[in-house]
PDB file of all heavy atoms in Angstrom:
ATOM      1  N   ASP A 144       0.842  -1.212  -0.053  1.00  0.00           N
ATOM      2  CA  ASP A 144      -0.046   0.063   0.036  1.00  0.00           C
ATOM      3  C   ASP A 144       0.879   1.241  -0.065  1.00  0.00           C
ATOM      4  O   ASP A 144       0.508   2.192  -0.606  1.00  0.00           O
ATOM      5  CB  ASP A 144      -0.948   0.046   1.257  1.00  0.00           C
ATOM      6  CG  ASP A 144      -1.970  -1.066   1.119  1.00  0.00           C
ATOM      7  OD1 ASP A 144      -2.317  -1.607   0.134  1.00  0.00           O
ATOM      8  OD2 ASP A 144      -2.456  -1.412   2.154  1.00  0.00           O
ATOM      9  N   LEU A 145       1.953   1.242   0.683  1.00  0.00           N
ATOM     10  CA  LEU A 145       2.818   2.428   0.834  1.00  0.00           C
ATOM     11  C   LEU A 145       3.463   2.611  -0.554  1.00  0.00           C
ATOM     12  O   LEU A 145       3.489   3.755  -1.090  1.00  0.00           O
ATOM     13  CB  LEU A 145       3.979   2.157   1.850  1.00  0.00           C
ATOM     14  CG  LEU A 145       5.250   3.132   1.814  1.00  0.00           C
ATOM     15  CD1 LEU A 145       4.698   4.529   2.049  1.00  0.00           C
ATOM     16  CD2 LEU A 145       6.147   2.750   2.723  1.00  0.00           C
ATOM     17  N   LEU A 146       3.980   1.535  -1.134  1.00  0.00           N
ATOM     18  CA  LEU A 146       4.527   1.649  -2.593  1.00  0.00           C
ATOM     19  C   LEU A 146       3.521   2.163  -3.553  1.00  0.00           C
ATOM     20  O   LEU A 146       3.729   3.098  -4.333  1.00  0.00           O
ATOM     21  CB  LEU A 146       5.102   0.252  -2.966  1.00  0.00           C
ATOM     22  CG  LEU A 146       5.653   0.222  -4.430  1.00  0.00           C
ATOM     23  CD1 LEU A 146       6.804   1.276  -4.504  1.00  0.00           C
ATOM     24  CD2 LEU A 146       6.112  -1.107  -4.890  1.00  0.00           C
ATOM     25  N   ALA A 147       2.297   1.682  -3.530  1.00  0.00           N
ATOM     26  CA  ALA A 147       1.139   2.234  -4.320  1.00  0.00           C
ATOM     27  C   ALA A 147       1.031   3.643  -4.301  1.00  0.00           C
ATOM     28  O   ALA A 147       0.859   4.319  -5.329  1.00  0.00           O
ATOM     29  CB  ALA A 147      -0.083   1.397  -4.057  1.00  0.00           C
ATOM     30  N   LEU A 148       1.075   4.237  -3.000  1.00  0.00           N
ATOM     31  CA  LEU A 148       0.902   5.640  -2.802  1.00  0.00           C
ATOM     32  C   LEU A 148       2.126   6.420  -3.481  1.00  0.00           C
ATOM     33  O   LEU A 148       1.872   7.428  -4.112  1.00  0.00           O
ATOM     34  CB  LEU A 148       0.779   5.878  -1.363  1.00  0.00           C
ATOM     35  CG  LEU A 148      -0.397   5.462  -0.562  1.00  0.00           C
ATOM     36  CD1 LEU A 148      -0.335   5.687   0.917  1.00  0.00           C
ATOM     37  CD2 LEU A 148      -1.611   6.187  -1.134  1.00  0.00           C
ATOM     38  N   LEU A 149       3.231   5.907  -3.245  1.00  0.00           N
ATOM     39  CA  LEU A 149       4.438   6.564  -3.843  1.00  0.00           C
ATOM     40  C   LEU A 149       4.532   6.545  -5.385  1.00  0.00           C
ATOM     41  O   LEU A 149       4.837   7.462  -5.910  1.00  0.00           O
ATOM     42  CB  LEU A 149       5.693   5.924  -3.212  1.00  0.00           C
ATOM     43  CG  LEU A 149       5.935   6.123  -1.686  1.00  0.00           C
ATOM     44  CD1 LEU A 149       7.179   5.280  -1.256  1.00  0.00           C
ATOM     45  CD2 LEU A 149       6.000   7.529  -1.384  1.00  0.00           C
ATOM     46  N   VAL A 150       4.099   5.369  -5.886  1.00  0.00           N
ATOM     47  CA  VAL A 150       4.049   5.290  -7.325  1.00  0.00           C
ATOM     48  C   VAL A 150       2.928   6.255  -7.874  1.00  0.00           C
ATOM     49  O   VAL A 150       3.119   6.984  -8.886  1.00  0.00           O
ATOM     50  CB  VAL A 150       3.651   3.785  -7.847  1.00  0.00           C
ATOM     51  CG1 VAL A 150       3.325   3.672  -9.203  1.00  0.00           C
ATOM     52  CG2 VAL A 150       4.836   2.931  -7.502  1.00  0.00           C
ATOM     53  N   GLU A 151       1.861   6.332  -7.181  1.00  0.00           N
ATOM     54  CA  GLU A 151       0.740   7.115  -7.660  1.00  0.00           C
ATOM     55  C   GLU A 151       1.119   8.664  -7.705  1.00  0.00           C
ATOM     56  O   GLU A 151       0.724   9.432  -8.477  1.00  0.00           O
ATOM     57  CB  GLU A 151      -0.423   7.009  -6.835  1.00  0.00           C
ATOM     58  CG  GLU A 151      -1.591   7.946  -6.980  1.00  0.00           C
ATOM     59  CD  GLU A 151      -2.762   7.761  -5.965  1.00  0.00           C
ATOM     60  OE1 GLU A 151      -2.883   6.601  -5.452  1.00  0.00           O
ATOM     61  OE2 GLU A 151      -3.394   8.761  -5.682  1.00  0.00           O
ATOM     62  N   ALA A 152       2.019   8.981  -6.689  1.00  0.00           N
ATOM     63  CA  ALA A 152       2.243  10.413  -6.469  1.00  0.00           C
ATOM     64  C   ALA A 152       3.583  10.866  -7.295  1.00  0.00           C
ATOM     65  O   ALA A 152       3.833  11.964  -7.452  1.00  0.00           O
ATOM     66  CB  ALA A 152       2.603  10.680  -4.977  1.00  0.00           C
ATOM     67  N   THR A 153       4.374   9.819  -7.769  1.00  0.00           N
ATOM     68  CA  THR A 153       5.641  10.256  -8.404  1.00  0.00           C
ATOM     69  C   THR A 153       5.529  11.295  -9.459  1.00  0.00           C
ATOM     70  O   THR A 153       4.640  11.297 -10.144  1.00  0.00           O
ATOM     71  CB  THR A 153       6.279   8.934  -8.924  1.00  0.00           C
ATOM     72  OG1 THR A 153       7.678   9.308  -9.273  1.00  0.00           O
ATOM     73  CG2 THR A 153       5.596   8.479 -10.094  1.00  0.00           C
ATOM     74  N   PRO A 154       6.471  12.390  -9.366  1.00  0.00           N
ATOM     75  CA  PRO A 154       7.702  12.407  -8.635  1.00  0.00           C
ATOM     76  C   PRO A 154       7.392  13.316  -7.267  1.00  0.00           C
ATOM     77  O   PRO A 154       8.374  13.709  -6.726  1.00  0.00           O
ATOM     78  CB  PRO A 154       8.652  13.039  -9.530  1.00  0.00           C
ATOM     79  CG  PRO A 154       7.662  14.042 -10.359  1.00  0.00           C
ATOM     80  CD  PRO A 154       6.412  13.301 -10.408  1.00  0.00           C
ATOM     81  N   ARG A 155       6.153  13.518  -7.066  1.00  0.00           N
ATOM     82  CA  ARG A 155       5.858  14.387  -5.848  1.00  0.00           C
ATOM     83  C   ARG A 155       6.378  13.797  -4.468  1.00  0.00           C
ATOM     84  O   ARG A 155       6.213  12.498  -4.371  1.00  0.00           O
ATOM     85  CB  ARG A 155       4.346  14.572  -5.725  1.00  0.00           C
ATOM     86  CG  ARG A 155       3.901  15.478  -4.689  1.00  0.00           C
ATOM     87  CD  ARG A 155       2.429  15.748  -4.729  1.00  0.00           C
ATOM     88  NE  ARG A 155       1.625  14.535  -4.567  1.00  0.00           N
ATOM     89  CZ  ARG A 155       1.153  14.206  -3.429  1.00  0.00           C
ATOM     90  NH1 ARG A 155       1.480  14.823  -2.204  1.00  0.00           N
ATOM     91  NH2 ARG A 155       0.258  13.016  -3.386  1.00  0.00           N
ATOM     92  N   VAL A 156       6.807  14.632  -3.568  1.00  0.00           N
ATOM     93  CA  VAL A 156       7.212  14.133  -2.309  1.00  0.00           C
ATOM     94  C   VAL A 156       5.787  13.961  -1.487  1.00  0.00           C
ATOM     95  O   VAL A 156       5.004  14.961  -1.444  1.00  0.00           O
ATOM     96  CB  VAL A 156       8.171  15.053  -1.551  1.00  0.00           C
ATOM     97  CG1 VAL A 156       8.384  14.680  -0.219  1.00  0.00           C
ATOM     98  CG2 VAL A 156       9.353  15.262  -2.312  1.00  0.00           C
ATOM     99  N   VAL A 157       5.595  12.822  -0.966  1.00  0.00           N
ATOM    100  CA  VAL A 157       4.320  12.710  -0.219  1.00  0.00           C
ATOM    101  C   VAL A 157       4.616  12.936   1.229  1.00  0.00           C
ATOM    102  O   VAL A 157       5.494  12.227   1.911  1.00  0.00           O
ATOM    103  CB  VAL A 157       3.769  11.145  -0.264  1.00  0.00           C
ATOM    104  CG1 VAL A 157       2.452  11.021   0.389  1.00  0.00           C
ATOM    105  CG2 VAL A 157       3.728  10.857  -1.806  1.00  0.00           C
ATOM    106  N   PRO A 158       3.916  13.859   1.918  1.00  0.00           N
ATOM    107  CA  PRO A 158       4.190  14.361   3.183  1.00  0.00           C
ATOM    108  C   PRO A 158       3.874  13.152   4.174  1.00  0.00           C
ATOM    109  O   PRO A 158       2.919  12.323   3.916  1.00  0.00           O
ATOM    110  CB  PRO A 158       3.269  15.529   3.426  1.00  0.00           C
ATOM    111  CG  PRO A 158       2.972  15.966   2.072  1.00  0.00           C
ATOM    112  CD  PRO A 158       2.990  14.796   1.278  1.00  0.00           C
ATOM    113  N   LYS A 159       4.586  13.058   5.339  1.00  0.00           N
ATOM    114  CA  LYS A 159       4.290  12.067   6.353  1.00  0.00           C
ATOM    115  C   LYS A 159       2.785  11.987   6.811  1.00  0.00           C
ATOM    116  O   LYS A 159       2.190  10.987   6.813  1.00  0.00           O
ATOM    117  CB  LYS A 159       5.065  12.167   7.545  1.00  0.00           C
ATOM    118  CG  LYS A 159       6.579  12.002   7.266  1.00  0.00           C
ATOM    119  CD  LYS A 159       7.474  12.247   8.568  1.00  0.00           C
ATOM    120  CE  LYS A 159       8.881  12.121   8.324  1.00  0.00           C
ATOM    121  NZ  LYS A 159       9.727  12.371   9.603  1.00  0.00           N
ATOM    122  N   ARG A 160       2.419  13.180   6.905  1.00  0.00           N
ATOM    123  CA  ARG A 160       0.933  13.273   7.426  1.00  0.00           C
ATOM    124  C   ARG A 160      -0.094  12.740   6.502  1.00  0.00           C
ATOM    125  O   ARG A 160      -0.871  11.950   6.894  1.00  0.00           O
ATOM    126  CB  ARG A 160       0.551  14.814   7.645  1.00  0.00           C
ATOM    127  CG  ARG A 160      -0.770  15.064   8.200  1.00  0.00           C
ATOM    128  CD  ARG A 160      -1.194  16.406   8.420  1.00  0.00           C
ATOM    129  NE  ARG A 160      -2.552  16.613   8.920  1.00  0.00           N
ATOM    130  CZ  ARG A 160      -2.983  17.885   9.332  1.00  0.00           C
ATOM    131  NH1 ARG A 160      -2.211  18.933   9.274  1.00  0.00           N
ATOM    132  NH2 ARG A 160      -4.148  17.925   9.811  1.00  0.00           N
ATOM    133  N   GLU A 161       0.150  12.889   5.099  1.00  0.00           N
ATOM    134  CA  GLU A 161      -0.691  12.308   4.120  1.00  0.00           C
ATOM    135  C   GLU A 161      -0.596  10.813   4.185  1.00  0.00           C
ATOM    136  O   GLU A 161      -1.533  10.083   3.987  1.00  0.00           O
ATOM    137  CB  GLU A 161      -0.314  12.721   2.743  1.00  0.00           C
ATOM    138  CG  GLU A 161      -1.221  12.322   1.687  1.00  0.00           C
ATOM    139  CD  GLU A 161      -0.836  12.782   0.318  1.00  0.00           C
ATOM    140  OE1 GLU A 161      -0.370  13.855   0.162  1.00  0.00           O
ATOM    141  OE2 GLU A 161      -1.158  12.053  -0.685  1.00  0.00           O
ATOM    142  N   LEU A 162       0.716  10.257   4.273  1.00  0.00           N
ATOM    143  CA  LEU A 162       0.927   8.863   4.380  1.00  0.00           C
ATOM    144  C   LEU A 162       0.244   8.250   5.586  1.00  0.00           C
ATOM    145  O   LEU A 162      -0.441   7.139   5.470  1.00  0.00           O
ATOM    146  CB  LEU A 162       2.437   8.467   4.392  1.00  0.00           C
ATOM    147  CG  LEU A 162       3.163   8.902   3.051  1.00  0.00           C
ATOM    148  CD1 LEU A 162       4.634   8.673   3.417  1.00  0.00           C
ATOM    149  CD2 LEU A 162       2.704   7.835   1.974  1.00  0.00           C
ATOM    150  N   HIS A 163       0.324   8.944   6.752  1.00  0.00           N
ATOM    151  CA  HIS A 163      -0.256   8.385   7.973  1.00  0.00           C
ATOM    152  C   HIS A 163      -1.914   8.312   7.681  1.00  0.00           C
ATOM    153  O   HIS A 163      -2.473   7.308   8.132  1.00  0.00           O
ATOM    154  CB  HIS A 163      -0.116   9.294   9.115  1.00  0.00           C
ATOM    155  CG  HIS A 163       1.252   9.037   9.830  1.00  0.00           C
ATOM    156  ND1 HIS A 163       1.454   8.093  10.620  1.00  0.00           N
ATOM    157  CD2 HIS A 163       2.368   9.789   9.674  1.00  0.00           C
ATOM    158  CE1 HIS A 163       2.709   8.049  11.113  1.00  0.00           C
ATOM    159  NE2 HIS A 163       3.303   9.057  10.549  1.00  0.00           N
ATOM    160  N   GLU A 164      -2.406   9.340   7.162  1.00  0.00           N
ATOM    161  CA  GLU A 164      -3.913   9.387   6.986  1.00  0.00           C
ATOM    162  C   GLU A 164      -4.488   8.362   5.985  1.00  0.00           C
ATOM    163  O   GLU A 164      -5.489   7.725   6.099  1.00  0.00           O
ATOM    164  CB  GLU A 164      -4.389  10.767   6.405  1.00  0.00           C
ATOM    165  CG  GLU A 164      -4.168  11.876   7.440  1.00  0.00           C
ATOM    166  CD  GLU A 164      -4.354  13.310   6.982  1.00  0.00           C
ATOM    167  OE1 GLU A 164      -4.540  13.334   5.637  1.00  0.00           O
ATOM    168  OE2 GLU A 164      -4.426  14.225   7.688  1.00  0.00           O
ATOM    169  N   ARG A 165      -3.655   8.059   5.017  1.00  0.00           N
ATOM    170  CA  ARG A 165      -4.005   7.088   3.925  1.00  0.00           C
ATOM    171  C   ARG A 165      -3.673   5.579   4.335  1.00  0.00           C
ATOM    172  O   ARG A 165      -4.412   4.733   3.819  1.00  0.00           O
ATOM    173  CB  ARG A 165      -3.506   7.492   2.609  1.00  0.00           C
ATOM    174  CG  ARG A 165      -3.896   8.852   2.062  1.00  0.00           C
ATOM    175  CD  ARG A 165      -3.411   9.169   0.694  1.00  0.00           C
ATOM    176  NE  ARG A 165      -4.098   8.275  -0.255  1.00  0.00           N
ATOM    177  CZ  ARG A 165      -3.873   8.377  -1.597  1.00  0.00           C
ATOM    178  NH1 ARG A 165      -3.033   9.306  -2.037  1.00  0.00           N
ATOM    179  NH2 ARG A 165      -4.422   7.493  -2.421  1.00  0.00           N
ATOM    180  N   LEU A 166      -2.610   5.463   5.014  1.00  0.00           N
ATOM    181  CA  LEU A 166      -2.229   4.116   5.387  1.00  0.00           C
ATOM    182  C   LEU A 166      -2.972   3.482   6.629  1.00  0.00           C
ATOM    183  O   LEU A 166      -3.323   2.446   6.764  1.00  0.00           O
ATOM    184  CB  LEU A 166      -0.666   3.926   5.559  1.00  0.00           C
ATOM    185  CG  LEU A 166       0.141   4.103   4.354  1.00  0.00           C
ATOM    186  CD1 LEU A 166       1.569   4.218   4.649  1.00  0.00           C
ATOM    187  CD2 LEU A 166      -0.122   2.952   3.348  1.00  0.00           C
ATOM    188  N   TRP A 167      -3.144   4.537   7.563  1.00  0.00           N
ATOM    189  CA  TRP A 167      -3.781   4.199   8.738  1.00  0.00           C
ATOM    190  C   TRP A 167      -5.014   5.075   9.011  1.00  0.00           C
ATOM    191  O   TRP A 167      -4.992   5.788  10.040  1.00  0.00           O
ATOM    192  CB  TRP A 167      -2.795   4.256   9.995  1.00  0.00           C
ATOM    193  CG  TRP A 167      -1.735   3.243   9.912  1.00  0.00           C
ATOM    194  CD1 TRP A 167      -1.673   1.943  10.140  1.00  0.00           C
ATOM    195  CD2 TRP A 167      -0.406   3.597   9.359  1.00  0.00           C
ATOM    196  NE1 TRP A 167      -0.541   1.353   9.877  1.00  0.00           N
ATOM    197  CE2 TRP A 167       0.404   2.372   9.368  1.00  0.00           C
ATOM    198  CE3 TRP A 167       0.263   4.625   8.912  1.00  0.00           C
ATOM    199  CZ2 TRP A 167       1.675   2.262   9.028  1.00  0.00           C
ATOM    200  CZ3 TRP A 167       1.605   4.623   8.501  1.00  0.00           C
ATOM    201  CH2 TRP A 167       2.233   3.390   8.672  1.00  0.00           C
ATOM    202  N   PRO A 168      -6.080   5.066   8.227  1.00  0.00           N
ATOM    203  CA  PRO A 168      -7.135   5.946   8.366  1.00  0.00           C
ATOM    204  C   PRO A 168      -7.833   5.753   9.727  1.00  0.00           C
ATOM    205  O   PRO A 168      -8.204   4.716   9.984  1.00  0.00           O
ATOM    206  CB  PRO A 168      -8.092   5.813   7.202  1.00  0.00           C
ATOM    207  CG  PRO A 168      -7.721   4.261   6.779  1.00  0.00           C
ATOM    208  CD  PRO A 168      -6.249   4.180   7.059  1.00  0.00           C
ATOM    209  N   GLY A 169      -8.011   6.946  10.497  1.00  0.00           N
ATOM    210  CA  GLY A 169      -8.691   6.789  11.715  1.00  0.00           C
ATOM    211  C   GLY A 169      -7.866   6.189  12.830  1.00  0.00           C
ATOM    212  O   GLY A 169      -8.227   6.146  14.016  1.00  0.00           O
ATOM    213  N   GLY A 170      -6.645   5.767  12.531  1.00  0.00           N
ATOM    214  CA  GLY A 170      -5.689   5.256  13.477  1.00  0.00           C
ATOM    215  C   GLY A 170      -4.719   6.260  14.073  1.00  0.00           C
ATOM    216  O   GLY A 170      -4.516   7.312  13.423  1.00  0.00           O
ATOM    217  N   THR A 171      -3.919   5.830  15.026  1.00  0.00           N
ATOM    218  CA  THR A 171      -2.918   6.634  15.529  1.00  0.00           C
ATOM    219  C   THR A 171      -1.715   5.855  15.695  1.00  0.00           C
ATOM    220  O   THR A 171      -1.624   4.902  16.475  1.00  0.00           O
ATOM    221  CB  THR A 171      -3.260   7.204  17.008  1.00  0.00           C
ATOM    222  OG1 THR A 171      -4.539   7.874  16.927  1.00  0.00           O
ATOM    223  CG2 THR A 171      -2.287   8.114  17.466  1.00  0.00           C
ATOM    224  N   VAL A 172      -0.648   6.201  14.781  1.00  0.00           N
ATOM    225  CA  VAL A 172       0.588   5.485  14.800  1.00  0.00           C
ATOM    226  C   VAL A 172       1.695   6.532  14.923  1.00  0.00           C
ATOM    227  O   VAL A 172       1.489   7.759  14.460  1.00  0.00           O
ATOM    228  CB  VAL A 172       0.846   4.612  13.613  1.00  0.00           C
ATOM    229  CG1 VAL A 172      -0.211   3.539  13.553  1.00  0.00           C
ATOM    230  CG2 VAL A 172       0.796   5.371  12.423  1.00  0.00           C
ATOM    231  N   THR A 173       2.915   6.211  15.296  1.00  0.00           N
ATOM    232  CA  THR A 173       3.941   7.150  15.483  1.00  0.00           C
ATOM    233  C   THR A 173       4.807   7.164  14.147  1.00  0.00           C
ATOM    234  O   THR A 173       4.607   6.287  13.200  1.00  0.00           O
ATOM    235  CB  THR A 173       4.955   6.630  16.536  1.00  0.00           C
ATOM    236  OG1 THR A 173       5.483   5.458  16.268  1.00  0.00           O
ATOM    237  CG2 THR A 173       4.122   6.672  17.854  1.00  0.00           C
ATOM    238  N   ASP A 174       5.667   8.137  14.064  1.00  0.00           N
ATOM    239  CA  ASP A 174       6.516   8.176  12.794  1.00  0.00           C
ATOM    240  C   ASP A 174       7.441   6.996  12.741  1.00  0.00           C
ATOM    241  O   ASP A 174       7.850   6.535  11.671  1.00  0.00           O
ATOM    242  CB  ASP A 174       7.438   9.480  12.820  1.00  0.00           C
ATOM    243  CG  ASP A 174       6.589  10.702  12.369  1.00  0.00           C
ATOM    244  OD1 ASP A 174       5.514  10.554  11.690  1.00  0.00           O
ATOM    245  OD2 ASP A 174       7.089  11.868  12.534  1.00  0.00           O
ATOM    246  N   ALA A 175       7.725   6.369  13.927  1.00  0.00           N
ATOM    247  CA  ALA A 175       8.601   5.294  13.973  1.00  0.00           C
ATOM    248  C   ALA A 175       7.950   4.055  13.147  1.00  0.00           C
ATOM    249  O   ALA A 175       8.647   3.319  12.566  1.00  0.00           O
ATOM    250  CB  ALA A 175       8.856   4.895  15.412  1.00  0.00           C
ATOM    251  N   THR A 176       6.707   4.019  13.276  1.00  0.00           N
ATOM    252  CA  THR A 176       5.944   2.858  12.450  1.00  0.00           C
ATOM    253  C   THR A 176       6.127   3.118  11.040  1.00  0.00           C
ATOM    254  O   THR A 176       6.472   2.166  10.311  1.00  0.00           O
ATOM    255  CB  THR A 176       4.484   2.928  12.843  1.00  0.00           C
ATOM    256  OG1 THR A 176       4.307   2.765  14.293  1.00  0.00           O
ATOM    257  CG2 THR A 176       3.611   1.754  12.080  1.00  0.00           C
ATOM    258  N   LEU A 177       5.953   4.360  10.561  1.00  0.00           N
ATOM    259  CA  LEU A 177       6.171   4.646   9.098  1.00  0.00           C
ATOM    260  C   LEU A 177       7.637   4.481   8.788  1.00  0.00           C
ATOM    261  O   LEU A 177       7.806   3.860   7.629  1.00  0.00           O
ATOM    262  CB  LEU A 177       5.742   6.113   8.918  1.00  0.00           C
ATOM    263  CG  LEU A 177       5.947   6.613   7.511  1.00  0.00           C
ATOM    264  CD1 LEU A 177       5.236   5.804   6.470  1.00  0.00           C
ATOM    265  CD2 LEU A 177       5.449   8.096   7.302  1.00  0.00           C
ATOM    266  N   VAL A 178       8.586   4.875   9.545  1.00  0.00           N
ATOM    267  CA  VAL A 178       9.963   4.578   9.189  1.00  0.00           C
ATOM    268  C   VAL A 178      10.236   3.125   9.081  1.00  0.00           C
ATOM    269  O   VAL A 178      10.954   2.701   8.140  1.00  0.00           O
ATOM    270  CB  VAL A 178      10.751   5.185  10.297  1.00  0.00           C
ATOM    271  CG1 VAL A 178      12.367   4.701  10.087  1.00  0.00           C
ATOM    272  CG2 VAL A 178      10.862   6.683  10.202  1.00  0.00           C
ATOM    273  N   ALA A 179       9.780   2.284   9.940  1.00  0.00           N
ATOM    274  CA  ALA A 179       9.907   0.918   9.877  1.00  0.00           C
ATOM    275  C   ALA A 179       9.371   0.286   8.664  1.00  0.00           C
ATOM    276  O   ALA A 179       9.783  -0.664   8.006  1.00  0.00           O
ATOM    277  CB  ALA A 179       9.300   0.150  11.120  1.00  0.00           C
ATOM    278  N   LEU A 180       8.179   0.766   8.219  1.00  0.00           N
ATOM    279  CA  LEU A 180       7.489   0.248   7.002  1.00  0.00           C
ATOM    280  C   LEU A 180       8.372   0.665   5.788  1.00  0.00           C
ATOM    281  O   LEU A 180       8.470  -0.274   4.844  1.00  0.00           O
ATOM    282  CB  LEU A 180       6.178   0.971   6.947  1.00  0.00           C
ATOM    283  CG  LEU A 180       5.278   0.389   5.874  1.00  0.00           C
ATOM    284  CD1 LEU A 180       4.973  -1.032   6.016  1.00  0.00           C
ATOM    285  CD2 LEU A 180       3.918   1.068   5.736  1.00  0.00           C
ATOM    286  N   VAL A 181       8.891   1.881   5.757  1.00  0.00           N
ATOM    287  CA  VAL A 181       9.816   2.225   4.678  1.00  0.00           C
ATOM    288  C   VAL A 181      11.022   1.357   4.573  1.00  0.00           C
ATOM    289  O   VAL A 181      11.463   0.944   3.553  1.00  0.00           O
ATOM    290  CB  VAL A 181      10.260   3.769   4.870  1.00  0.00           C
ATOM    291  CG1 VAL A 181      11.264   4.087   3.781  1.00  0.00           C
ATOM    292  CG2 VAL A 181       9.096   4.677   4.635  1.00  0.00           C
ATOM    293  N   LYS A 182      11.569   1.052   5.727  1.00  0.00           N
ATOM    294  CA  LYS A 182      12.725   0.174   5.704  1.00  0.00           C
ATOM    295  C   LYS A 182      12.417  -1.248   5.235  1.00  0.00           C
ATOM    296  O   LYS A 182      13.291  -1.862   4.589  1.00  0.00           O
ATOM    297  CB  LYS A 182      13.296  -0.047   7.194  1.00  0.00           C
ATOM    298  CG  LYS A 182      14.071   1.325   7.739  1.00  0.00           C
ATOM    299  CD  LYS A 182      14.523   1.137   9.122  1.00  0.00           C
ATOM    300  CE  LYS A 182      15.349   2.320   9.576  1.00  0.00           C
ATOM    301  NZ  LYS A 182      15.767   2.082  10.932  1.00  0.00           N
ATOM    302  N   GLN A 183      11.199  -1.741   5.576  1.00  0.00           N
ATOM    303  CA  GLN A 183      10.743  -3.113   5.205  1.00  0.00           C
ATOM    304  C   GLN A 183      10.653  -3.054   3.547  1.00  0.00           C
ATOM    305  O   GLN A 183      11.008  -3.941   2.911  1.00  0.00           O
ATOM    306  CB  GLN A 183       9.373  -3.323   5.773  1.00  0.00           C
ATOM    307  CG  GLN A 183       8.826  -4.706   5.548  1.00  0.00           C
ATOM    308  CD  GLN A 183       7.501  -4.967   6.198  1.00  0.00           C
ATOM    309  OE1 GLN A 183       6.579  -4.166   6.107  1.00  0.00           O
ATOM    310  NE2 GLN A 183       7.364  -6.016   6.955  1.00  0.00           N
TER     311      GLN A 183
END
């Protein structure tokens, strides 16, 4: 899902806030969770 968002947006930089809202709608996760997902 993260890759799909980045492919859809290329070459735009996708802000962290937008990624949080679209990957975890209605949820609350920290930046560390997003960083771990990017590493994966």
Side-chain angles (χ1 to χ4, degrees):
D144 292 341
L145 170 60
L146 179 59
L148 290 175
L149 296 177
V150 169
E151 175 188 331
T153 188
R155 178 174 68 90
V156 177
V157 186
K159 294 180 183 178
R160 182 175 180 178
E161 180 179 339
L162 291 173
H163 279 287
E164 291 174 350
R165 297 186 64 178
L166 290 171
W167 297 281
T171 303
V172 297
T173 65
D174 278 350
T176 303
L177 178 59
V178 170
L180 189 61
V181 171
K182 288 181 178 179
Q183 187 179 53

